[in-house]
Each structure stands twice: as C-alpha cells, then as structure tokens.
Amino acid sequence: MSHYQAPLKDICFNLFDVWQLDKYWQQQSQLQELIEADTAKAILEEAAKICEQQLVPFSGEADKHGAQLKDGKVTLPQHYKIAYQSLTEGGWTSLSGDPQYGGMGMPKALSMMVDEMLCSADIAFSLYPGLTAGACVALLQHADATAKALYLPKMYSGEWSGTMCLTEAHAGSDLGIMRTTAKPVDDGSYLLSGSKIFITAGEHDLTSNIIHLVLAKLPDAPAGSRGISLFLVPKYLPDASGEPGERNGVSVGSIEHKMGINGSATCVLSFDDAKGYLIGEPHRGLACMFTMMNYERLSMGSQGLGAAERAYQNALAYAKDRTQGRVTEKDANKAEPIIGHADVRRMLLNIKAMNEAGRTFATWVASLLDKAKYDNCSVSAQRANLLTPIAKAFMTDQGFDACVTAQQVFGGHGYVKEWGMEQLVRDVRIAQIYEGTNGIQAADFMLRKVAADNGGILLALLSEIKTELAVRPIDTANTLLYYIAELEVLTKGLLAQDLRVQSANACDYLTLVSYVLYGYMWYKNLAALQSSLHAECFIEEKQYTAVYYFERILPKAEGLLAVLRCDSAIMDKFALDHF
Amino acid sequence: MSHYQAPLKDICFNLFDVWQLDKYWQQQSQLQELIEADTAKAILEEAAKICEQQLVPFSGEADKHGAQLKDGKVTLPQHYKIAYQSLTEGGWTSLSGDPQYGGMGMPKALSMMVDEMLCSADIAFSLYPGLTAGACVALLQHADATAKALYLPKMYSGEWSGTMCLTEAHAGSDLGIMRTTAKPVDDGSYLLSGSKIFITAGEHDLTSNIIHLVLAKLPDAPAGSRGISLFLVPKYLPDASGEPGERNGVSVGSIEHKMGINGSATCVLSFDDAKGYLIGEPHRGLACMFTMMNYERLSMGSQGLGAAERAYQNALAYAKDRTQGRVTEKDANKAEPIIGHADVRRMLLNIKAMNEAGRTFATWVASLLDKAKYDNCSVSAQRANLLTPIAKAFMTDQGFDACVTAQQVFGGHGYVKEWGMEQLVRDVRIAQIYEGTNGIQAADFMLRKVAADNGGILLALLSEIKTELAVRPIDTANTLLYYIAELEVLTKGLLAQDLRVQSANACDYLTLVSYVLYGYMWYKNLAALQSSLHAECFIEEKQYTAVYYFERILPKAEGLLAVLRCDSAIMDKFALDHF
C-alpha cells in the first residue's frame, strides 16, 4: 500500500510566506475573528490526521471493494462511513460554508488545502463531501431564503449530501440537447422526468438524504443551452419538520464499472415524475450550475495535485530504499539506492517541481476567489475566472503525468497492485475527463477567457507580473521575462486569427500559458524565501527546485511556441475518409 | 467492447512501397523461394482473421477473468486455448523460426507485422507465443546441436512454450546482484536454486511443457554481471523419446495482481534443485540473454503500436458517430459528430501521425535485422542495434500516450470499462516498464549506442539521410534538414560531456532523436507515394498526415533541444533531504 503524510510545511509556506494570506485574513472584517495563522495550522493538522489515519491506510481496500449496488441500494466501503462520520463530527463538511446557515466561513485558500489532502488520501471518497460543498455554493447563490434555510444547514453538517445531475447518455459536453423535462404543477413545484448518467454520489449509504441539483427543460424552453433550468430534487422530500419524509421519484438504475475511483458510486439516475423545486430563474440553469462547476473545477485541480503529491512521496521513499546498480560503489555485488541514478532524479524532480508550483498556483487561484468574495474585487474575480480552466486542465494533466512517472520509478513493482501506485494512475485519470474534459477547458480558456475580451485580462496580468519582476529582479527573472515576452507576441497573433484557428490551438496554448505561469509561481516561491518565517529549513531545497524548473522544465515551452507558430490549417484539409 | 480491423493497407504500403522488401526478398537466396508479395499478403490476411475473430471480441473477457492460480496450476481465459490452437495449427508460432528445425523461416519484417496485429488483439495473449519465439532465438544462437534438435521443433510448433527468468525480488534492472545458484552435477547438468519474480508465462495451461531460460550463478562466478550464466530448465524433463517426462523442481508460488494484461500469468517461480542445462559459455549468460532481450525489445515496440492502432480505430469510429456541439449546424437542438471539432481532430491526428510513422519505423528496424541476418551486413546490424532502444522506449511511450489520448476522445465513456478504452491504457502501460524500463533504454541508447563509439553509427546514419534528402528534395526535406543539423550539433555537445551529464540527458535525448527519425519516416512515406503501386487510394491522406507531422508535432523537438542545451548540473546539487 502507498503511504502519505500531509505536506504541512509546504502548505504553510504557501499560505503564509508566498501569499501572506494570514495578513490578508487579519485585514478582513469577515475573517479576522475567524482565523489566524495558528488556527489555520491547527485546522490543517487535524485534517491531516483524519486523512492519514482514517483514509490512507484503507484506500486500497476501497479500490478493491468499491461501491456496490444491490436492490436499488448502494453500499460503500465500510471505512468510508467511519471517515465520513469523523468529517461531520469535526465540522469539516461545513468548513467553507456560510456562517448564516451553520457553516464555518473559512476562506477558500484554506479549504482548498484540505481538499488537496483529502484527494491525496482517496479521490473517490473526497467526492462525497466535495459534491455537497459544490451544491451548497450553487444553492447559497441562487436558491431563495426558504430553500437555503431548509437545505443548507443539513448539507453543511454533512447530514445530507448533494449531487449535480447534468449529463445524459446523448448529452455530455453538449448539455443544450438534453431531454429531461420539468412540468410545472399547481403547488409551484415541478415534476421531473428523464434519465441522467455519470452522477457521482448519486446514491450511497453515507447520509440520510441526497439533494440532487438537476438540469432539465421547462415546457416552454427555448432551444439549446439557453433553455435549461436548474431544479432541486431531494431523494426524500423534507416533511413539515424538515426531516426526510416521502420518497421522491428518483432511483438508481445501475452504477458504472470504471477504470478507477471505485469507491465513488457513479450512477445512472432515473427521474420519474420526481418532485423538484426551481432554483434561480427559468432557463438560466446553466449559469446557476456554472457557479458549482467553477467550484468543482478548482477541486479537480486539487485531485491532480493530491494524487501527484502522494505519488511523489511514495516514489521518493522507494528511490531512497530500493538498491539497484552502482554510481559510486565499486563492489559489483553491492547496489546503491536508485535515487543516485541521474534518470531517477530526473523523474523525481519533474514531479516535485510541478507539484510545488501547482500548490502555489492553487493557493493563488483560491486567494483570488477569496478577494473576489470578501473585497468584492472584480479584478480578482476576473483573474480567478481566467485561471480556473488552467487549474482544472493543467493541474490534472500534470497530476496524471506525475502519477505515471512515479509509477515508472517503481519499475515492475509499479505495475502490480500491491504497491498502490497503479491505483493512483487509475484514480487520477478521471480528473482530466469529468467536470468538462480538458479539451473543453482549453476551448473555454482560449475562446471565452482570452479571446472574448481580446486578451485584456491575461495581458494585464502578464504586464503586472513584468512590473513585479522589474521591481524585484531576483535570479531567474530574466528567463521568465523572455517567456512572457514570447507568450505576449504569440497571444496577439492568435487573437488576430479566427475561431477555428484559435480552437485548433487551444490545448497547446493553455499548456504554454500554464508553463509560463508556473514559472511565475517559482519566482514567487523564491521571492518568499527572502522574507520567510518558515523557509529556513528549506531554502536550498526551494532554490534548487526553482533552478530545476527554469533549466529543465520551462524550456519545454519552446516546443509549444514552435507548434503554435505553425499553421494549423492542415487539420481541416482532412476529409472524413482521410482519417 | 473495442473493435479492431488489421490495417493491412498501411502494412502492405510499408512493406512493399516504403521499404520495397518484396524486391529485397527476391534477391535473397534464403528467401526467394519462401516468400513474395502475394504470399506475404496471404499470410497477413490469415493472421488478421485469427486476431479479429478469435481474440478481439474476447479481450474484455480476458481482462475480467484473467489468469487464475489454484493448487499450483494456472488457468487462462478459456478462449486463449482456442486461439492458441489456431496459431499452432496454422504454423504461426513457427513463422520466424529456422527451417532446419521446423520453422517457416520468414523474415522479421513480416513477423513483426503479425506481432503488431496480435498486440492490437490482446497484448496479454501475445506474450505466450512472443516469449517462446524469443527463447527460440536465444537457443538457436547459443545452444548446442543436441539441445536445438530436442527443443526447437517442439517450441516452433507451439507444443511447448518458453520463458525468460531474469528478475529476482532484489535484482531487476541490476541483474548482477542476483542470487539464484547453479550447482554442477556429475551428468553434466546443473541443479538450480532460487526464486525469480515477474516471470511472464511462467506457468499456464496452453502447452504440455514450458522451457525456462534461467539466469543463475555458478559456484565460481565472478562478481556482478560478468558472473551470470544461462540455463535451460524444462518444467518437465524430456524423456528418452523427447516427450515430457519427470516433473522438474520448478513451481509457481503466486501470480501478480496487476494494473492490466490480466490474461498474462506473471509468476513467482521457485527453483528447488531444478535440473538445468548450461546454454552457451559459463559466465556469459547475460550476453546470451541479450539476444533474446533485443528480440523482445522490438516486440515491445509492437505492443505500443498495436495498442495505439486499436485505440485510434475506436476513437475515430466514436468521433464519427458521437454527436455533441455544433460547428456548422445552426439548429441549437441538433448536434454534429465530434470529429468536426478542431480539438478532437488534433487528438486523432496526433495519434494517426505517430502510429503511421511508428509502423514505418518498426518495418525499418526489422528490415535492418533481416539484412544483418541474410546479408551478414554489419552496418545494418549496428543500425538495428542503435535503433532497438528507440523502438522499445519511444514506441511504447507513444503507444501509451496514444491510448490515453484515444480514451480522452471518448470523454466519460472512455473511463468506464464497457467501451474497452481504459483496458488499452492499462494493458499498454506495462510495455514502458518491462524488458528494461524506458529509462534503462535511454541510458543504453545514450551511453552504449551513441557515446560508446563517439556517435559514429548515429552520425553516419544522419549523414546518409542528409544525402538522401539532397538527392531527392521533396517537400518537408528542408524542415527535416534543419532538425538533423540541430541534432548533430547537440549530439556532438553531449559527446563532449561526462557520463553523468549524458545520463541526466539520456531520456530527453532519446526522445529528440526519435522525433527527428520519425520525420525521416514521414519523408520515406512521402517519397514512396511517388512510385507506389498501393498508394493511389491514400495519396492525399498520407500527404496531409505528413504535413501535420512536420507542422504540428515535430516542432515539439524545439522544447527538447532547449532542455538539452541547458545545464543539468543542478540535479546533483540535491542532497537526499532536499527531495
């Protein structure tokens, strides 16, 4: 089995030294009473304990037994119930919830760190509290006061859980063509009918009720995605006292057999005249759901990073322990730890440098969301919006690569189940696919986040980074400036192209921007070392890893630049029978 | 379930147009009676039928049920026996065998194409005939006449199968420290004792006997890898009539539970005073085994390509069938096939361009092996030797990436078992690991194949390619010339560095050389179109795909060049506690 110890030192370095969020929290009236550095550390340490003790040792079991469907009921791995109970008893499910409804009101930057740990411990398990937290965000923003009062406290407490029901068999990335219908009835509610697939946590035995957020079409719905509305459909309709009452017309038809995240019940749900309540305006459901989707997309990044962190820790331990071959040893019968081999170092450092930049990046995006929320700062909101598809796509692509690389460090032992490395690869793979495939993320980034405002938000960000580099030109600033300049030229070139060219280049473009911004993350890490309270123990470690990033990883961006500079017109010359 | 149809058109294009091997075969006294283009086509069509009809429809079942160990016996999926019987009855297991011992004596270029199809159909199954063929190569080259006469006919016929027993729990990449011992006994044989792990096809129910080729140490063995000898250890000792007689002291302790290739029995084998026969010279076992390893390493390339071809075919069919979103359609309620989306085209074309170059590359290496064998051509032998680690490492890396990309085309459906795409990812992953990890391949390439002769073989090859490009400067030749020139400069720079720097750069360097040589493969494809008998139906297809390679894939080499130009010294500054 693979082990895991929460990287609290690097988490605190990011929160308090790189982004100095403790200082920010103290400046906010809504936060200053709630949290300071010591509280945050205590929270993180407690979360780490639950992950390390109640989930990590059993994640292999969860993979083996998985979620089981029998007679319309889904049973989860036994230890999930115990771990979930610890989460609810400790108030963890309410960590980022609104205090008005019983939430702890902690900033996103903190809850995202807990997310990372949970994902390291068990991605499949993390989805149960994760989906609920996402559903709460959508309800908080779009539901009316009655619904909020009825549902949020029980969902924050973890007594009830949530889902998001979007996909249908013929409608995945393209939700506009969905067929689930909602028929208004006299009491102001609706009756929903249709079938949804790939519903994570759609049915399970952790909570006494499940609150489904369902996209469906009203009878007078306009065509396409502008005709979708959002409904709340409880598994059990709350009775007069707000407790689970009558069973609603939603049932699980089957669960998927998947490559990984076997502990997660991925359900086909049938809605048969299921009673539902409209959330937000009619036909505006997709916009409401995107509130939740954006939240989830950040969590996807945590899945990539979480799995990659666990993969790294295990590959590192193996590389220190496993002896094969000789680097300095002269006795042909003796072998040295494989961490001495240059190629093993290369693999480990590739993971390490990307993971640490990823953690800084995740903290950055989360802090922007916090600033958007607490300061009502529109620049922060726009930037968080810009960076969300990167957090989803690049962090999950890197997470997958990291797990594959860590598995490679184990040689043949990485391929057998016993060591747990292959499970990390199988589990994390889904993060590149769900919540909008990484291809969809790239299109969103290129077309809606960059091209739609003619590059304004991105170019302003790059300009601000250049100023920061000029003011504080520490080592590596010049390398970064070079890539920023190349990225600016390339961005302007792409902005002058049509939609088709932009779409063809979207994926490589997102990756290029990500590599450059990860360079900025390493700059921020280096800058933080100079004034850090926490850094003394790893100044050299961070400095070397930054150099590794700038000399052995960032130059890969030259390949992306070269591809992006070439014509993409050839792609459309292919007729169907040319493929 | 995923489907598959053997790509006979492209296979024939490679054999007869790109490399014109039918003409070569007709010039060889050993081959001209055996094979011509029509025979080859008939052979390929028959092989395709077995793969398509007897393996492809059941590969999901093989994954699900896998190899089962009970009471010391291993049972394979039921249909494996039927398919294996078809192979033996049709003489397929003797395809590349020496006619003197009952083999069909077909050239490697042909048998490699059959290998690719078998790997598309089921990598796990392909290992049973594959290992046997490899063992026969080693025996043919190193065993004495008596042993050859006793074992080869039964192994060629498929009645008996073969294994290679190298790895021990503490000795994988580093075989020099192995502990299995071989004690000489009076009758000239040896008694072997020790435990081997990861033994593919170590025990199964397909054949009446299993011939293990085992590495072990003699009592007087020098330390390290120069003290390893090769032994033949039959599961059943042949009796006086050459039939399986007394049970030998080799038994299966357990089989591994793995990420994939579940139909392959990966065994822990115990040798308890097992009777064995020395093959080749004492202490020269590793050299003997490398005969087999090189053969296997080429087959690994076929595994990468085979899985990638099947993945491509399925992703393509799905992309033509699955409707999501609109490119030209105006009705918001209608959706178009996703192959219309630029990013889906990008994914498909990335796979297609690499697969077709890979097939040309595999045919090239195989034809070099044939020329080395039939013409006794040392330049061909050296080049095959140079290119073998590329065929193993790059083709399997690309094969894995292709399967992951094809899975991505399916969106969520790629992650559920039903569609078979996730199995391809799990199955092909092993090819990057076994038979020498791809890191080991890169070190072999950089240190033993390039640096050891000061780049002589590689630089001569590049020089010859440049001449060819100058003589026949079709489109894209200039792009290729540019990358060859960059590669030459970089190679000379690396040759001037020490072992440590070369090792640190080995992996990226192998990848760079591969991209450049795949460019040469596309050049060869284009050149063949001009004089082809088979190309009329896909002139445009090949031309467009070549342009795609040169404009959208090869430029990635700029990233590798940039990394390789940077200093790698930082990697050794990391002390153990810096990781």
Side-chain angles (χ1 to χ4, degrees):
Chain A
M1 258 318 298
S2 67
H3 60 84
Y4 169 73
Q5 199 170 19
L8 293 174
K9 194 172 75 169
D10 199 47
I11 286 175
C12 289
F13 177 68
N14 273 287
L15 286 175
F16 309 130
D17 295 313
V18 178
W19 298 109
Q20 308 198 352
L21 295 178
D22 49 342
K23 289 184 191 152
Y24 171 73
W25 298 336
Q26 284 309 303
Q27 291 156 9
Q28 297 308 312
S29 57
Q30 288 169 274
L31 292 171
Q32 62 190 185
E33 299 291 308
L34 282 173
I35 185 162
E36 55 180 358
D38 284 344
T39 341
K41 273 185 217 166
I43 288 176
L44 291 165
E45 281 165 13
E46 281 305 308
K49 264 189 218 163
I50 295 178
C51 293
E52 291 166 9
Q53 295 169 6
Q54 300 193 8
L55 287 166
V56 170
F58 312 109
S59 53
E61 284 301 301
D63 176 60
K64 195 169 170 187
H65 296 297
Q68 302 287 346
L69 172 67
K70 201 178 164 190
D71 303 331
K73 287 187 169 32
V74 171
T75 316
L76 299 186
Q78 196 62 33
H79 74 277
Y80 274 24
K81 290 176 202 170
I82 300 162
Y84 189 77
Q85 202 179 343
S86 297
L87 285 191
T88 56
E89 284 171 1
W92 295 99
T93 48
S94 73
L95 196 64
S96 57
D98 189 320
Q100 201 186 333
Y101 301 98
M104 284 173 65
M106 290 295 164
K108 180 74 183 162
L110 187 72
S111 65
M112 192 161 201
M113 295 301 188
V114 176
D115 277 352
E116 184 203 315
M117 294 182 206
L118 273 173
C119 292
S120 288
D122 187 339
I123 288 176
F125 177 84
S126 79
L127 296 171
Y128 296 95
L131 265 290
T132 308
C136 288
V137 170
L139 289 178
L140 187 67
Q141 196 153 338
H142 302 290
D144 60 27
T146 317
K148 285 193 221 182
L150 183 56
Y151 293 100
L152 285 177
K154 285 202 157 57
M155 291 172 79
Y156 283 152
S157 74
E159 200 178 328
W160 295 356
S161 66
T163 74
M164 50 198 294
C165 303
L166 289 76
T167 306
E168 299 179 9
H170 72 294
S173 303
D174 183 5
L175 292 169
I177 56 174
M178 68 170 51
R179 295 190 194 123
T180 298
T181 57
K183 199 170 58 182
V185 284
D186 289 348
D187 65 355
S189 71
Y190 297 81
L191 293 181
L192 276 80
S193 292
S195 180
K196 297 282 183 181
I197 66 165
F198 296 160
I199 307 308
T200 301
E203 178 59 41
H204 59 82
D205 56 355
L206 290 182
T207 59
S208 63
N209 203 0
I210 301 175
I211 308 306
H212 303 289
L213 295 190
V214 187
L215 291 181
K217 290 190 170 181
L218 291 166
D220 62 341
S225 61
R226 289 153 199 267
I228 296 173
S229 305
L230 179 63
F231 299 87
L232 182 156
V233 181
K235 176 179 169 186
Y236 294 100
L237 295 163
D239 62 18
S241 62
E243 294 304 312
E246 192 190 339
R247 185 72 155 86
N248 203 354
V250 49
S251 59
V252 55
S254 61
I255 60 173
E256 305 290 349
H257 300 281
K258 309 185 299 294
M259 184 183 194
I261 56 163
N262 291 330
S264 167
T266 308
C267 301
V268 175
L269 285 188
S270 289
F271 295 86
D272 304 296
D273 280 344
K275 197 187 241 324
Y277 307 94
L278 183 69
I279 301 292
E281 299 290 309
H283 317 317
R284 299 280 304 147
L286 215 52
C288 298
M289 193 56 104
F290 267 110
T291 308
M292 183 171 175
M293 291 286 285
N294 272 333
Y295 186 98
E296 289 302 318
R297 282 172 179 176
L298 283 182
S299 300
M300 296 302 112
S302 299
Q303 292 182 20
L305 177 57
E309 172 64 33
R310 184 164 177 179
Y312 177 72
Q313 291 186 15
N314 283 274
L316 176 60
Y318 188 82
K320 285 180 174 175
D321 181 63
R322 172 79 173 173
T323 56
Q324 290 288 277
R326 284 144 298 282
V327 177
T328 56
E329 176 64 51
K330 300 293 173 206
D331 183 342
N333 279 330
K334 284 189 183 157
E336 289 173 59
I338 59 172
I339 199 167
H341 295 293
D343 194 61
V344 173
R345 289 185 161 236
R346 177 188 66 82
M347 292 191 276
L348 292 172
L349 292 175
N350 278 347
I351 308 174
K352 178 179 169 67
M354 296 308 285
N355 281 3
E356 292 178 20
R359 188 168 293 117
T360 305
F361 187 81
T363 319
W364 184 28
V365 180
S367 74
L368 288 168
L369 283 174
D370 285 334
K371 282 171 190 163
K373 177 177 172 181
Y374 297 112
D375 300 340
N376 211 5
C377 169
S378 63
V379 171
S380 296
Q382 287 169 338
R383 284 192 183 166
N385 204 33
L386 172 77
L387 301 177
T388 295
I390 292 181
K392 199 282 177 179
F394 191 66
M395 287 182 71
T396 59
D397 283 349
Q398 292 305 317
F400 180 70
D401 284 356
C403 291
V404 170
T405 303
Q407 182 188 27
Q408 192 75 16
V409 171
F410 279 73
H413 298 281
Y415 197 69
V416 298
K417 288 186 178 280
E418 189 184 347
W419 290 84
M421 300 308 285
E422 61 86 39
Q423 185 190 342
L424 291 173
V425 174
R426 288 186 292 106
D427 283 355
V428 78
R429 178 71 182 93
I430 188 60
Q432 299 172 287
I433 297 173
Y434 60 14
E435 307 305 328
T437 64
N438 286 1
I440 296 280
Q441 302 300 324
D444 175 54
F445 180 69
M446 175 84 256
L447 306 177
R448 285 195 283 251
K449 305 295 167 65
V450 177
D453 83 329
N454 203 27
I457 297 167
L458 175 64
L459 292 170
L461 172 63
L462 294 177
S463 176
E464 200 177 296
I465 294 173
K466 284 195 294 186
T467 306
E468 188 178 345
L469 294 174
V471 171
R472 199 172 181 183
I474 57 175
D475 285 354
T476 72
N478 281 339
T479 309
L480 188 51
L481 280 170
Y482 161 79
Y483 283 104
I484 290 174
E486 293 293 317
L487 174 58
E488 286 172 331
V489 172
L490 193 111
T491 300
K492 286 167 189 167
L494 270 178
L495 289 171
Q497 300 284 345
D498 65 17
L499 176 80
R500 190 71 184 167
V501 175
Q502 290 171 350
S503 302
N505 286 289
C507 182
D508 289 326
Y509 180 70
L510 179 143
T511 308
L512 173 68
V513 175
S514 306
Y515 273 114
V516 175
L517 291 180
Y518 271 38
Y520 176 51
M521 296 302 100
W522 272 111
Y523 169 85
K524 295 298 277 185
N525 269 262
L526 287 179
L529 291 177
Q530 302 184 348
S531 54
S532 164
L533 295 171
H534 304 83
E536 66 277 11
C537 50
F538 56 8
I539 286 182
E540 283 185 341
E541 175 184 339
K542 284 281 181 192
Q543 281 172 338
Y544 294 162
T545 312
V547 173
Y548 186 83
Y549 184 82
F550 283 104
E551 295 195 349
R552 305 298 296 180
I553 296 181
L554 185 55
K556 285 182 198 167
E558 291 288 357
L560 294 162
L561 283 163
V563 168
L564 289 161
R565 283 183 197 122
C566 284
D567 197 349
S568 63
I570 190 67
M571 291 165 70
D572 281 333
K573 288 210 175 158
F574 284 81
L576 279 192
D577 61 358
H578 286 143
F579 278 91
Chain B
M1 258 317 298
S2 67
H3 59 86
Y4 169 72
Q5 198 169 19
L8 293 173
K9 195 172 74 168
D10 199 47
I11 286 176
C12 288
F13 177 67
N14 274 286
L15 287 176
F16 309 131
D17 295 313
V18 178
W19 298 109
Q20 309 199 352
L21 295 179
D22 49 342
K23 290 182 191 152
Y24 171 73
W25 298 337
Q26 285 309 305
Q27 293 157 9
Q28 297 308 313
S29 57
Q30 288 169 274
L31 292 173
Q32 60 190 189
E33 298 292 308
L34 282 173
I35 186 161
E36 55 181 357
D38 284 344
T39 341
K41 274 185 215 167
I43 288 175
L44 292 166
E45 281 164 13
E46 281 305 306
K49 265 188 218 161
I50 295 177
C51 293
E52 291 166 8
Q53 295 169 8
Q54 300 193 5
L55 288 166
V56 170
F58 313 108
S59 54
E61 283 302 298
D63 176 60
K64 196 169 168 187
H65 296 296
Q68 301 288 345
L69 173 67
K70 201 178 163 191
D71 303 331
K73 286 185 169 36
V74 171
T75 316
L76 300 187
Q78 197 62 32
H79 74 277
Y80 274 24
K81 289 176 201 169
I82 301 163
Y84 189 76
Q85 202 180 342
S86 298
L87 284 191
T88 55
E89 285 171 0
W92 296 100
T93 48
S94 72
L95 196 64
S96 57
D98 190 319
Q100 200 186 334
Y101 300 100
M104 285 172 63
M106 291 296 164
K108 180 74 183 163
L110 187 71
S111 65
M112 193 161 201
M113 294 302 186
V114 176
D115 277 352
E116 185 203 314
M117 294 184 208
L118 273 173
C119 292
S120 289
D122 187 338
I123 288 176
F125 177 84
S126 80
L127 296 171
Y128 296 97
L131 265 289
T132 307
C136 288
V137 170
L139 289 178
L140 187 68
Q141 197 154 339
H142 302 290
D144 61 29
T146 317
K148 286 192 218 182
L150 182 56
Y151 293 100
L152 285 178
K154 284 203 157 58
M155 292 173 79
Y156 284 152
S157 74
E159 201 177 331
W160 295 357
S161 66
T163 74
M164 49 197 296
C165 303
L166 290 77
T167 306
E168 299 180 9
H170 73 293
S173 303
D174 183 6
L175 292 169
I177 56 174
M178 68 171 49
R179 294 187 194 127
T180 298
T181 56
K183 199 170 60 185
V185 285
D186 288 348
D187 65 357
S189 69
Y190 297 81
L191 293 179
L192 277 80
S193 293
S195 180
K196 297 283 183 180
I197 66 165
F198 296 160
I199 307 309
T200 300
E203 178 60 40
H204 59 82
D205 55 355
L206 291 182
T207 59
S208 63
N209 203 359
I210 301 175
I211 310 306
H212 304 289
L213 296 190
V214 187
L215 292 181
K217 291 190 169 181
L218 291 166
D220 62 342
S225 60
R226 289 152 200 267
I228 296 173
S229 306
L230 179 63
F231 299 88
L232 182 155
V233 181
K235 175 178 167 186
Y236 294 100
L237 296 163
D239 63 18
S241 63
E243 293 304 312
E246 191 189 339
R247 186 72 156 88
N248 204 354
V250 49
S251 58
V252 54
S254 60
I255 59 174
E256 305 291 348
H257 300 281
K258 310 185 297 295
M259 183 183 194
I261 56 164
N262 292 331
S264 168
T266 308
C267 302
V268 175
L269 287 187
S270 288
F271 295 87
D272 304 297
D273 279 344
K275 196 184 242 323
Y277 306 95
L278 183 68
I279 302 291
E281 301 289 310
H283 316 318
R284 298 280 302 147
L286 216 50
C288 299
M289 192 55 102
F290 268 108
T291 308
M292 182 171 176
M293 290 286 284
N294 272 332
Y295 186 98
E296 290 301 320
R297 281 172 178 176
L298 282 182
S299 300
M300 296 301 113
S302 299
Q303 292 181 21
L305 177 57
E309 172 64 33
R310 184 165 177 177
Y312 177 73
Q313 291 186 15
N314 284 274
L316 176 60
Y318 188 82
K320 285 179 175 177
D321 182 63
R322 172 77 171 173
T323 56
Q324 291 288 275
R326 284 143 299 281
V327 177
T328 57
E329 175 63 52
K330 300 294 172 204
D331 183 343
N333 278 329
K334 285 189 182 157
E336 289 174 60
I338 60 172
I339 197 167
H341 294 293
D343 193 61
V344 173
R345 290 185 161 236
R346 177 188 66 82
M347 291 191 275
L348 291 172
L349 292 175
N350 278 349
I351 307 174
K352 177 178 169 66
M354 296 308 284
N355 281 3
E356 292 178 20
R359 188 169 293 117
T360 305
F361 187 82
T363 320
W364 183 29
V365 181
S367 75
L368 289 168
L369 283 175
D370 284 334
K371 282 170 190 162
K373 177 177 171 182
Y374 297 112
D375 301 338
N376 212 6
C377 169
S378 65
V379 172
S380 296
Q382 287 169 338
R383 285 192 182 167
N385 204 33
L386 172 76
L387 301 177
T388 295
I390 292 182
K392 199 282 178 181
F394 191 65
M395 287 183 69
T396 59
D397 282 349
Q398 293 304 318
F400 180 70
D401 284 355
C403 292
V404 170
T405 302
Q407 182 187 27
Q408 192 75 16
V409 171
F410 279 74
H413 298 281
Y415 197 70
V416 297
K417 288 185 179 280
E418 189 185 346
W419 289 85
M421 300 307 287
E422 62 87 39
Q423 186 190 341
L424 290 174
V425 174
R426 287 187 291 107
D427 282 356
V428 78
R429 178 70 182 92
I430 187 60
Q432 298 172 287
I433 298 172
Y434 60 13
E435 306 305 329
T437 64
N438 286 1
I440 296 279
Q441 301 300 325
D444 175 54
F445 180 70
M446 176 82 256
L447 306 178
R448 283 195 284 249
K449 305 294 166 66
V450 177
D453 83 331
N454 203 28
I457 297 166
L458 174 65
L459 293 170
L461 172 63
L462 294 178
S463 177
E464 201 177 293
I465 295 173
K466 284 194 291 184
T467 307
E468 188 178 345
L469 294 174
V471 171
R472 199 173 181 183
I474 57 173
D475 284 354
T476 71
N478 281 339
T479 309
L480 189 51
L481 281 171
Y482 161 79
Y483 283 104
I484 291 174
E486 293 293 317
L487 175 59
E488 286 173 331
V489 171
L490 193 110
T491 301
K492 285 167 190 164
L494 270 178
L495 289 170
Q497 300 284 344
D498 65 17
L499 176 79
R500 190 70 183 167
V501 175
Q502 291 171 349
S503 302
N505 286 288
C507 182
D508 289 326
Y509 180 71
L510 179 143
T511 307
L512 173 68
V513 175
S514 306
Y515 273 113
V516 176
L517 291 179
Y518 270 37
Y520 176 52
M521 295 302 100
W522 272 113
Y523 169 86
K524 295 298 277 185
N525 270 262
L526 287 179
L529 291 177
Q530 303 184 347
S531 55
S532 163
L533 295 173
H534 304 81
E536 68 276 12
C537 50
F538 57 8
I539 287 182
E540 282 185 340
E541 175 184 339
K542 283 282 181 192
Q543 281 172 339
Y544 294 160
T545 313
V547 173
Y548 186 84
Y549 184 81
F550 282 104
E551 295 195 348
R552 305 297 297 179
I553 296 180
L554 185 54
K556 285 182 197 165
E558 291 288 356
L560 294 161
L561 282 163
V563 168
L564 288 160
R565 283 182 198 122
C566 284
D567 197 350
S568 63
I570 189 67
M571 291 166 69
D572 281 333
K573 286 210 175 155
F574 284 80
L576 280 192
D577 61 359
H578 286 142
F579 279 90

